[in-house]
C-alpha cells in the first residue's frame, strides 16, 4: 500500500468501526476507497463477495472495479459488488422480488413511461409542465420515504394534495404492470428492510463491509438504506466533501455527513488536507471561492505542487467567440505542451452551451466527446428493441407492450388498442395477456384480431427461443423477427443512415454480450439504469460535459465556459437565494483542473432573437486577483503570447505543405 500519506493510510487500515473521511477536492478520497477495497480483500479481512462499494455513476463503478482488479490478483476479486445505490437496489429486488410482490422479469419504467402513467391518471388537459411537476412531487414523497397516506397528511398546497392523491393510483398502476420506477429501487428495499429485522440481518451477513464514495450527495432514502446495511456494528467507510454537494435538486442532503456522526457516536473522522491534483494557483482560487460559503467545519487544502500557470479569465464577445477561443487554445496547448486530447475538458452549466463549441472544435478537426448528448438509450430503435425485450420478460408490462406493438406498425390502430385496453381492464388482464385471450379477441374486428394474433405469434416464438439463446442472441433474433430492422430500412432514405441505426442495435446486442449474468429481462432492467453519462468509453477526445457530470473527474486542462451572472450562478438560484450550491458547482469545476484553468464570460448573448447584455459571474470577483490573468490586465504578456500562438499555427500550416 505504498504511495499513501499518513491520514490516507490510517483511513485504509482502520476497520474497527465506522469511518468517515471528510475532505476537500483532489485529496485522495476515491483513492482511499479503492485502496481500502483492495486492502480488505488482500489481507483476507473480508472475502470479495462480502464487500460492497457505492459510487455515484455506473461509469465510476466500472473504473473502480478495473483499478481494484489490478491490485488484487487472480480470482480473489470475484463477487465484489461495486455499484450505484440504484443498481444495488435493483440487485436487492431481483433477489427479494417475491417479498416486494414482484414477479421475476419485472420492468423498470423510464421517465417517459412514468410520465405516461401520470398523464393517464391526472385530470385531462394538463400541460406537460404540470404533469412533470406532479410527477416530481410524487417522486419527492417517495424519496422522503412517505407512503401515499403520509404524503397526503404532509401535503401543504393544493398541488401537493393533488400529487398525493395520484401517488397511490400511480403505485397501483406500477404494481399491475409488474414494474418499478427509479425511486422504487431505493424505496422498496427500504420498506422491506424496515419491516423485517431478519431480512436486514441477512443482508448484513451478505454485505459485511460497505464503502460509500461521494457521500455528500446521498438523499434521505439512500442514507437510510446505508444505515440498514451498515447496521449498528457500523462496518463502513464513507467519504465525502460537503463543499461538493451539488445535487440538492435531486434531494441530496449534505447534512447526512453530520447525521453520520450523530447516528454513529463512535465514528472515526479522518480529514485529508493535501491536494494532489491541482497546481498552487488553481487550488488557491478554489479555496478562496469556497471560503465564501458558510462552514461548520472549515477546511484548508494545501498542495506540494508549485504555483503553476495563472488562472485565465477571458472576456469574450459572445458564445461563438468564446467557443473559437477555447478551440484555438486547446489546439495550441495540445501541441505546445503535448497534452493529449483526452486530457482536456470543457465544462458548462447547461447542456445547450455545447453547440457552438462542437462547431468550433469540428472546424479545427479536434476530436471530442459530448457526455449526455443524444444518448444511445434515448434512440428510437434502441427503445423499441428494449420494449420488445421487456414484453418478453414481463407480459404485464403494458407500457412496453404499447411501444412494441407499434414498432413496426401493424394492423392494430389506436381504436383497437383502446378497445383492447377496455376489455383488458374488465377482465383484469394486462394488454399482452388480453391480446392472447380468444374470447376477448372475438369482440374485435377480424382485421384487428389478426393484427394482434400476428404480434402475439412473434412474441411466443421469441419467448420459446429465449430459453435456448443468450440475451445477445435473443436481441439479434428479435431485431430480425419483430420486423424492426425492416422498419428501419424502410424509414431510412440512404444506406448510411440505415447502417448507423442498425449499428445502434448491434451495439445493444454487444452490450448484452459483455454484461455479466442474468437473463435478457434482468439485463434490460440493468440497462435502464445506465444514465447518459455512463455510456460510451470516450477515446482520446476532448471531453464536453456539464459541471454536474464532471464530479470526481480530473483533467490536465479545464475550461469553464459561460461564467456569466445569470448562468453561473443561475438566475433561478439567485432569485431563490441558493447561491451556495452554485458556488459549490463552480468549486467542483475549478478543482477538476490539474495544470491549466480557463474561466470565460461573455459580453452578450442572444435570447429569443434579441441581444441581451451580460455581466461576469460574481464568483469571478471572489477569486484571488494575484492568481488570475484577466484579459487586458497584462497587455505585454498578452501580445507575447499571441505571437507565440500565431507562430505555432503558421508552423502547422507550413508543415501541411512540407511533408
Ligand atoms: P474529488 O473530491 O474530486 O472526488 P478525491 O478526493 O476523490 O477528489 P482522488 O480522485 O482520489 O481525490 O485523487 C486525486 C488525485 O490525486 C488522483 O490523481 C490520485 O491518484 C492522486 N493522489 C491521491 N492520493 C495520492 C498520494 N498519496 N500520492 C500521490 N497521488 C495521490
Ligand atoms: Mg473522488
Amino acid at each position: 500500500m505504498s504511495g499513501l500519506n499518513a491520514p490516507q493510510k490510517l483511513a485504509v487500515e482502520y476497520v474497527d468501526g465506522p469511518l468517515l473521511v471528510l475532505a476537500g477536492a483532489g485529496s485522495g478520497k476515491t483513492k482511499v476507497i479503492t485502496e481500502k477495497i483492495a486492502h480488505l480483500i488482500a489481507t483476507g479481512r473480508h472475502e470479495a463477495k462480502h464487500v460492497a462499494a457505492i459510487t455515484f455513476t455506473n461509469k465510476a463503478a466500472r473504473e473502480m472495479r478495473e483499478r481494484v482488479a489490478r491490485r488484487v490478483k487472480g480470482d480473489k476479486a470475484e463477487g465484489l459488488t461495486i455499484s450505484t445505490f440504484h443498481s444495488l437496489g435493483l440487485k436487492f429486488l431481483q433477489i427479494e422480488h417475491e417479498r416486494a410482490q414482484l414477479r421475476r422479469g419485472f420492468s423498470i419504467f423510464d421517465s417517459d413511461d412514468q410520465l405516461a402513467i401520470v398523464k393517464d391518471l391526472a385530470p385531462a388537459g394538463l400541460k406537460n409542465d404540470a404533469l412533470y411537476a406532479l410527477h416530481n412531487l410524487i417522486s419527492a414523497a417517495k424519496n422522503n420515504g412517505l407512503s401515499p397516506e403520509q404524503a397526503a397528511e404532509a401535503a401543504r398546497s393544493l398541488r401537493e394534495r393533488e400529487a398525493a392523491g395520484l401517488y397511490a393510483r400511480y403505485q397501483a398502476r406500477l404494481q399491475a404492470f409488474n414494474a418499478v420506477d427509479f425511486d422504487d429501487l431505493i424505496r422498496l428495499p427500504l420498506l422491506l428492510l424496515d419491516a423485517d429485522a431478519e431480512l436486514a440481518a441477512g443482508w448484513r451477513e451478505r454485505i459485511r463491509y460497505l464503502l460509500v464514495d461521494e457521500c455528500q450527495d446521498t438523499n434521505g432514502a439512500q442514507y437510510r438504506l446505508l444505515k440498514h446495511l451498515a447496521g449498528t456494528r457500523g462496518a463502513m467507510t464513507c467519504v465525502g466533501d460537503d463543499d461538493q454537494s451539488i445535487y440538492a435538486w435531486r434531494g441530496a442532503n449534505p447534512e447526512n455527513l453530520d447525521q453520520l456522526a450523530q447516528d454513529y457516536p463512535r465514528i472515526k473522522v479522518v480529514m485529508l488536507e493535501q491536494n494532489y491534483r491541482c497546481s498552487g494557483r488553481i487550488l488557491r482560487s478554489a479555496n478562496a471561492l469556497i471560503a465564501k460559503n458558510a462552514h461548520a467545519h472549515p477546511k484548508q487544502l494545501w498542495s506540494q505542487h508549485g504555483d503553476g500557470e495563472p488562472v485565465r479569465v477571458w472576456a469574450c464577445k459572445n458564445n461563438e467567440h468564446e467557443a473559437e477561443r477555447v478551440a484555438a487554445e486547446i489546439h495550441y496547448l495540445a501541441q505546445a505542451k503535448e497534452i493529449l486530447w483526452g486530457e482536456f475538458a470543457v465544462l458548462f452549466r447547461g447542456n445547450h452551451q455545447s453547440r457552438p463549441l462542437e462547431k468550433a472544435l469540428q472546424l479545427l478537426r479536434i476530436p471530442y466527446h459530448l457526455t449526455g448528448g443524444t444518448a444511445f438509450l434515448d434512440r428510437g430503435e434502441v427503445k423499441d428493441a428494449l420494449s420488445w425485450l421487456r414484453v418478453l420478460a414481463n407480459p404485464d408490462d403494458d407500457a412496453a407492450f404499447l411501444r412494441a406493438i407499434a414498432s413496426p406498425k401493424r394492423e392494430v390502430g389506436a381504436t383497437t388498442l383502446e378497445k383492447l385496453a377496455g376489455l383488458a381492464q374488465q377482465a383484469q388482464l394486462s394488454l399482452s395477456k388480453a391480446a392472447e385471450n380468444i374470447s376477448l379477441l372475438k369482440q374485435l374486428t377480424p382485421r384487428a384480431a389478426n393484427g394482434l394474433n400476428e404480434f402475439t405469434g412473434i412474441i411466443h416464438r421469441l419467448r420459446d427461443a429465449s430459453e435456448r439463446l443468450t440475451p445477445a442472441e435473443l436481441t439479434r433474433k428479435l431485431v430480425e423477427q419483430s420486423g424492426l430492422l425492416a422498419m428501419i430500412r424502410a424509414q431510412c432514405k440512404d444506406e448510411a443512415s440505415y447502417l448507423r441505426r442498425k449499428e445502434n442495435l448491434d451495439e445493444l446486442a454487444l452490450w448484452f454480450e459483455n454484461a455479466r449474468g442474468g437473463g435478457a429481462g434482468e439485463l434490460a432492467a440493468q440497462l435502464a439504469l445506465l444514465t447518459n453519462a455512463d455510456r460510451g468509453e470516450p477515446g482520446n477526445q476532448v471531453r464536453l460535459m456539464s459541471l454536474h457530470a464532471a464530479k470526481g473527474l480530473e483533467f490536465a486542462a479545464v475550461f469553464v465556459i459561460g461564467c456569466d451572472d445569470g448562468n453561473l450562478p443561475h438566475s433561478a438560484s439567485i432569485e431563490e437565494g441558493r447561491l451556495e450550491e452554485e458556488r459549490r458547482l463552480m468549486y467542483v469545476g475549478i478543482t477538476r483542473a490539474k495544470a491549466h484553468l480557463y474561466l470565460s464570460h461573455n459580453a452578450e448573448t442572444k435570447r429569443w432573437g434579441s441581444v441581451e447584455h451580460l455581466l461576469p459571474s460574481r464568483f469571478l470577483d471572489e477569486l484571488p486577483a494575484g492568481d488570475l490573468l484577466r484579459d487586458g490586465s497584462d497587455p505585454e504578456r498578452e501580445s507575447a503570447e499571441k505571437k507565440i500562438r500565431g507562430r505555432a499555427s503558421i508552423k502547422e500550416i507550413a508543415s501541411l505543405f512540407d511533408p
Side-chain angles (χ1 to χ4, degrees):
M1 202 195 320
S2 58
L4 293 178
N5 64 31
Q8 286 176 335
K9 192 159 182 292
L10 190 143
V12 167
E13 290 174 355
Y14 184 82
V15 285
D16 298 333
L19 175 80
L20 170 64
V21 178
L22 187 61
S27 57
K29 294 183 298 298
T30 303
K31 189 180 170 86
V32 162
I33 297 251
T34 319
E35 294 285 332
K36 189 155 190 170
I37 297 170
H39 175 77
L40 291 171
I41 300 172
T43 55
R45 175 101 198 176
H46 290 294
E47 282 177 78
K49 65 174 188 219
H50 292 310
V51 176
I54 309 284
T55 58
F56 202 67
T57 61
N58 290 295
K59 185 159 166 290
R62 208 160 49 226
E63 279 172 16
M64 196 174 276
R65 197 173 296 123
E66 282 162 17
R67 275 201 229 161
V68 172
R70 265 181 259 134
R71 314 271 330 213
V72 184
K73 294 281 163 292
D75 53 8
K76 270 181 112 178
E78 196 78 6
L80 174 67
T81 300
I82 304 186
S83 67
T84 61
F85 268 115
H86 284 97
S87 306
L88 184 67
L90 173 60
K91 186 173 164 189
F92 181 101
L93 289 179
Q94 283 174 339
I95 292 171
E96 311 289 356
H97 62 89
E98 274 173 26
R99 291 174 196 265
Q101 293 173 2
L102 291 164
R103 288 179 300 286
R104 194 174 282 290
F106 63 85
S107 304
I108 297 184
F109 273 19
D110 66 17
S111 35
D112 288 350
D113 301 330
Q114 294 166 26
L115 206 67
I117 302 185
V118 175
K119 187 168 180 177
D120 205 31
L121 297 177
L126 284 189
K127 294 234 164 60
N128 268 350
D129 281 357
L131 295 172
Y132 275 119
L134 280 174
H135 182 255
N136 279 342
L137 286 172
I138 296 177
S139 174
K142 293 176 78 165
N143 276 319
N144 287 329
L146 300 181
S147 67
E149 299 75 40
Q150 289 166 324
E153 255 167 53
R156 291 283 162 269
S157 65
L158 189 65
R159 194 36 81 79
E160 279 177 8
R161 265 195 295 282
E162 202 179 348
L166 277 187
Y167 175 9
R169 289 156 67 208
Y170 171 90
Q171 218 46 45
R173 193 62 75 87
L174 281 177
Q175 179 93 44
F177 293 162
N178 191 28
V180 297
D181 65 10
F182 295 132
D183 300 326
D184 284 338
L185 294 173
I186 310 293
R187 192 184 68 96
L188 291 175
L190 208 50
L191 276 180
L192 296 177
L193 291 168
D194 279 345
D196 187 341
E198 223 167 282
L199 179 71
W203 271 85
R204 285 196 288 274
E205 198 43 41
R206 194 189 283 261
I207 296 177
R208 298 190 191 160
Y209 202 91
L210 182 71
L211 305 101
V212 184
D213 198 1
E214 307 273 7
C215 207
Q216 76 279 1
D217 278 326
T218 50
N219 65 28
Q222 291 166 342
Y223 180 77
R224 283 172 53 207
L225 188 58
L226 175 160
K227 272 181 58 185
H228 266 303
L229 296 176
T232 46
R233 68 190 165 164
M236 66 173 170
T237 294
C238 295
V239 314
D241 178 6
D242 46 343
D243 288 331
Q244 294 186 69
S245 168
I246 54 176
Y247 280 91
W249 50 285
R250 270 204 223 152
N253 183 7
E255 271 107 58
N256 286 337
L257 290 175
D258 288 328
Q259 192 62 38
L260 269 175
Q262 285 178 28
D263 291 341
Y264 294 92
R266 291 193 301 133
I267 201 164
K268 186 172 185 68
V269 180
V270 171
M271 316 279 261
L272 306 175
E273 295 189 321
Q274 180 170 1
N275 167 297
Y276 288 89
R277 181 182 293 146
C278 313
S279 69
R281 289 182 193 277
I282 293 173
L283 189 61
R284 278 206 293 274
S285 303
N287 279 340
L289 178 77
I290 207 64
K292 301 278 181 200
N293 274 6
H295 280 92
H297 327 276
K299 32 186 191 313
Q300 191 62 270
L301 285 170
W302 62 277
S303 160
Q304 240 171 16
H305 302 313
D307 274 356
E309 290 283 309
V311 174
R312 285 159 206 264
V313 178
W314 283 354
C316 305
K317 290 189 202 97
N318 50 35
N319 50 25
E320 274 117 35
H321 177 225
E322 180 183 48
E324 282 161 24
R325 281 186 80 176
V326 169
E329 189 71 4
I330 291 178
H331 198 264
Y332 164 73
L333 283 179
Q335 289 187 2
K337 312 274 179 196
E338 299 188 354
I339 301 175
L340 294 173
W341 298 127
E343 277 290 309
F344 289 95
V346 190
L347 309 180
F348 34 78
R349 180 76 176 74
N351 284 320
H352 65 278
Q353 292 176 261
S354 69
R355 271 175 233 134
L357 271 172
E358 290 192 74
K359 230 159 84 191
L361 291 169
Q362 282 164 7
L363 212 61
L364 294 186
R365 295 176 194 228
I366 298 174
Y368 66 84
H369 179 271
L370 176 65
T371 299
T374 319
F376 173 67
L377 293 168
D378 293 338
R379 287 178 210 270
E381 59 275 11
V382 175
K383 281 198 146 184
D384 290 342
L386 282 175
S387 66
W388 276 81
L389 285 171
R390 275 166 52 178
V391 176
L392 286 174
N394 176 12
D396 290 331
D397 189 335
D398 282 0
F401 174 88
L402 287 172
R403 181 157 191 133
I405 198 152
S407 24
K409 287 234 170 324
R410 49 192 85 239
E411 298 275 308
V412 181
T415 344
T416 304
L417 288 175
E418 260 167 47
K419 188 104 194 270
L420 183 72
L423 294 172
Q425 203 168 19
Q426 278 168 21
Q428 302 220 334
L429 290 173
S430 70
L431 289 172
S432 179
K433 285 182 181 148
E436 296 174 0
N437 187 306
I438 299 185
S439 63
L440 292 189
L441 287 182
K442 279 196 188 131
Q443 303 180 44
L444 301 171
T445 64
R447 202 165 132 204
N450 267 344
L452 287 170
N453 261 332
E454 191 188 272
F455 178 76
T456 12
I458 306 175
I459 290 286
H460 276 270
R461 279 197 296 283
L462 287 169
R463 206 173 272 149
D464 288 343
S466 70
E467 319 220 321
R468 284 169 278 113
L469 300 177
T470 66
E473 289 164 348
L474 177 63
T475 307
R476 294 200 179 97
K477 196 177 182 82
L478 88 78
V479 164
E480 296 271 350
Q481 301 210 340
S482 62
L484 272 180
L485 204 59
M487 171 188 87
I488 297 173
R489 181 168 276 292
Q491 283 172 350
C492 290
K493 292 198 181 68
D494 56 281
E495 185 71 7
S497 54
Y498 165 67
L499 287 177
R500 218 173 16 250
R501 294 182 62 188
K502 181 173 178 294
E503 255 168 40
N504 287 329
L505 293 171
D506 293 340
E507 190 176 337
L508 182 67
L510 200 66
W511 188 89
F512 283 132
E513 218 147 73
N514 294 332
R516 297 161 312 156
E522 281 172 27
L523 289 176
Q526 279 178 33
L527 203 59
L529 278 192
L530 291 187
T531 64
N532 298 345
D534 291 318
R535 225 211 105 247
E537 266 326 293
N540 184 18
Q541 294 163 307
V542 171
R543 308 282 300 276
L544 314 185
M545 65 177 93
S546 71
L547 287 156
H548 283 101
K551 203 171 62 145
L553 306 178
E554 59 187 21
F555 303 92
V558 168
F559 297 79
V560 181
I561 62 167
C563 297
D564 309 310
D565 229 51
N567 184 48
L568 182 63
H570 197 270
S571 46
S573 308
I574 299 175
E575 279 158 29
E576 290 159 27
R578 284 184 281 109
L579 272 185
E580 295 213 332
E581 172 126 337
E582 295 291 299
R583 200 178 272 112
R584 291 193 288 267
L585 198 53
M586 180 88 169
Y587 175 76
V588 167
I590 290 177
T591 52
R592 299 310 98 198
K594 294 193 219 168
H596 305 274
L597 177 64
Y598 296 77
L599 308 171
S600 54
H601 61 89
N602 299 292
E604 58 182 43
T605 188
K606 278 198 214 88
R607 206 174 306 231
W608 321 122
S610 65
V611 172
E612 198 174 297
H613 293 281
L614 297 172
L615 290 173
S617 167
R618 61 192 73 190
F619 295 150
L620 294 174
D621 293 328
E622 298 175 357
L623 304 178
D627 290 315
L628 307 184
L629 184 63
R630 282 182 182 265
D631 270 355
S633 67
D634 188 347
E636 236 166 79
R637 179 167 180 164
E638 256 171 56
S639 91
E641 288 190 347
K642 240 187 208 141
K643 253 187 226 145
I644 299 174
R645 282 156 176 71
R647 235 181 279 136
S649 65
I650 290 172
K651 218 162 99 195
E652 205 211 350
I653 294 169
S655 75
L656 293 175
F657 296 97
D658 187 16

